[in-house]
Amino acid sequence: MKHFFKIFTIAVLGILVASCKDEDQAIMNETGQSKITSDKTTIVLDKAHLDDAAVNFTWAKSTFDLSVVSAPKIEIGLKGSNFKDAKSLDVVTSPYSMTNKQLNTLLLSLGATPNEANQVEVRLRTVVGTASFYSNVITLAVTPYILGPIYNYTDLYLIGDATAGGWDNSGTNAKLYPLQKAATAGVYSYTGYFAVGGVKFIQTPGSWDNQYGLGTSAGSLLAGGGSSNISIATAGYYKLTVDVNALKYTLTSISDPTTSYTVISMIGSASAGWDTDVDMEKSTFDPHVWVKKKIALSSGEFKFRANHDWGTNWGVAKEFFGVADLGGGNIPVSESFNYDVYFNDITGEFSVIPVF
């Protein structure tokens, strides 16, 4: 009987304790909604003053009728998305300031359109354990800037049955390789393998708009769908130059490259550090063309190197695109962002293209 009484007493105490816990949870109420304001509602981000404050948020987190530990976070998302895929920023003190560079990087990662006013929603989220409490929502009109001088140029891509991608212009086709940009806007070069067939150029993967092909004679270009294919009669390696300003091109046969590499990688503080190689994808069509899609690069520097060894490496102190020299300097990256990176080990030409 005593044993039964002990068990009964413990069970009753357990129920009481559980009831007290439920009661504590039940009576925790938000007595004051969190609030957020900004010192600007229209913001044009300025890439000439990257580290200057673009906006200041003043906030007050939620209050409760119990003593709780809470964590405030500012959430920023594109208007109409209901904060889906919104970026969350941990904040400690109010006001909270964001620089031109910080806000620009955040908005572009959300898919905001550069050089246009984007409607952006901001709210404060107060986190208590697994529960979240939300503030009012404010709306800002923010115009991001375009990353770097690469956007003084328009990309061109090879297309046709003489090329890696065939006639499929799909934007998801990883084998539509961009022509490497030359020093003058509108002038491009590409050195690589061509099969027997035809080739044209498009500006945007997935679209036939703004295409170029053969004009009225060999060496001339014509813009638009009325252009013909540039014919490749003999498979092999060629050097191609394209001038969309003068509507001219040259295509010259070259000797097959004598050196091939098993692996080309990126290495440096902008990628995964100077002790870690990030391998690129080798083209199955042309083993001298390499690509790394949508790689997250940090502000820093990197180089290309062969077979995970410093014996053969390429670099140059030029951002976004250029010709990397054997044993050259480091390639700078000023903005932390996602990029498509292309490299040609025959010429050292490379492109680092922001992905929006």
Side-chain angles (χ1 to χ4, degrees):
M1 178 64 73
K2 288 181 179 179
H3 182 65
F4 172 79
F5 181 74
K6 286 181 179 178
I7 294 174
F8 176 77
T9 303
I10 291 170
V12 171
L13 287 173
I15 293 170
L16 289 173
V17 170
S19 297
C20 289
K21 288 183 178 178
D22 290 341
E23 183 179 357
D24 287 344
Q25 291 176 355
I27 63 174
M28 188 191 78
N29 297 302
E30 184 184 33
T31 57
Q33 184 187 22
S34 55
K35 184 178 181 181
I36 189 167
T37 60
S38 65
D39 62 348
K40 298 174 186 174
T41 56
T42 300
I43 305 165
V44 178
L45 296 174
D46 185 0
K47 63 182 175 183
H49 299 89
L50 296 178
D51 297 322
D52 289 356
V55 63
N56 296 293
F57 296 110
T58 301
W59 55 269
K61 60 185 178 180
S62 301
T63 58
F64 304 91
D65 57 1
L66 290 177
S67 178
V68 297
V69 176
S70 62
K73 300 176 183 293
I74 291 178
E75 292 187 333
I76 302 177
L78 297 181
K79 188 174 182 178
S81 67
N82 198 28
F83 289 94
K84 185 179 184 294
D85 300 323
K87 300 301 180 182
S88 183
L89 307 171
D90 294 323
V91 293
V92 178
T93 59
S94 178
Y96 179 81
S97 178
M98 294 190 73
T99 65
N100 286 291
K101 181 178 179 179
Q102 289 171 332
L103 186 54
N104 193 76
T105 300
L106 185 149
L107 289 183
L108 293 181
S109 69
L110 287 172
T113 304
N115 289 342
E116 292 183 15
N118 294 256
Q119 295 297 304
V120 178
E121 292 183 323
V122 184
R123 70 183 180 187
L124 188 79
R125 177 162 67 104
T126 303
V127 180
V128 182
T130 58
S132 293
F133 302 84
Y134 296 97
S135 72
N136 59 306
V137 176
I138 59 175
T139 301
L140 311 177
V142 187
T143 302
Y145 58 83
I146 290 174
L147 292 169
I150 193 169
Y151 283 95
N152 292 329
Y153 296 78
T154 300
D155 288 303
L156 281 184
Y157 294 81
L158 295 169
I159 192 167
D161 53 358
T163 72
W167 289 109
D168 180 6
N169 73 348
S170 171
T172 61
N173 188 336
K175 294 181 179 178
L176 286 173
Y177 295 103
L179 299 169
Q180 306 304 314
K181 301 176 184 65
T184 305
V187 180
Y188 306 82
S189 67
Y190 180 85
T191 300
Y193 179 79
F194 289 84
V196 174
V199 61
K200 298 182 81 171
F201 318 114
I202 57 174
Q203 288 187 356
T204 307
S207 172
W208 288 106
D209 295 337
N210 300 319
Q211 63 174 283
Y212 298 90
L214 180 65
T216 56
S217 60
S220 69
L221 287 177
L222 181 65
S227 59
S228 302
N229 301 335
I230 297 171
S231 179
I232 307 295
T234 304
Y237 283 86
Y238 292 83
K239 178 177 177 60
L240 170 72
T241 61
V242 177
D243 186 338
V244 298
N245 301 317
L247 291 178
K248 293 181 179 179
Y249 75 91
T250 61
L251 186 66
T252 306
S253 178
I254 64 171
S255 301
D256 291 359
T258 57
T259 304
S260 295
Y261 303 101
T262 304
V263 178
I264 296 290
S265 62
M266 300 169 61
I267 189 168
S269 59
S271 54
W274 288 106
D275 297 319
T276 304
D277 289 276
V278 177
D279 292 347
M280 303 184 76
E281 178 186 347
K282 179 193 287 192
S283 167
T284 57
F285 182 83
D286 182 346
H288 301 281
V289 175
W290 306 79
V291 62
K292 186 65 177 178
K293 288 281 194 174
K294 206 170 185 180
I295 179 175
L297 296 180
S298 304
S299 176
E301 299 175 317
F302 77 94
K303 298 187 79 172
F304 300 102
R305 71 174 184 172
N307 302 328
H308 298 167
D309 188 275
W310 284 114
T312 304
N313 69 86
W314 298 263
V316 65
K318 188 175 181 183
E319 190 171 16
F320 294 115
F321 59 87
V323 179
D325 301 317
L326 276 169
N330 299 335
I331 300 167
V333 177
S334 61
E335 296 274 1
S336 298
F337 205 64
N338 292 329
Y339 297 87
D340 286 346
V341 181
Y342 299 88
F343 179 68
N344 185 321
D345 69 43
I346 303 172
T347 62
E349 292 174 298
F350 71 93
S351 289
V352 182
I353 303 172
V355 181
F356 297 103

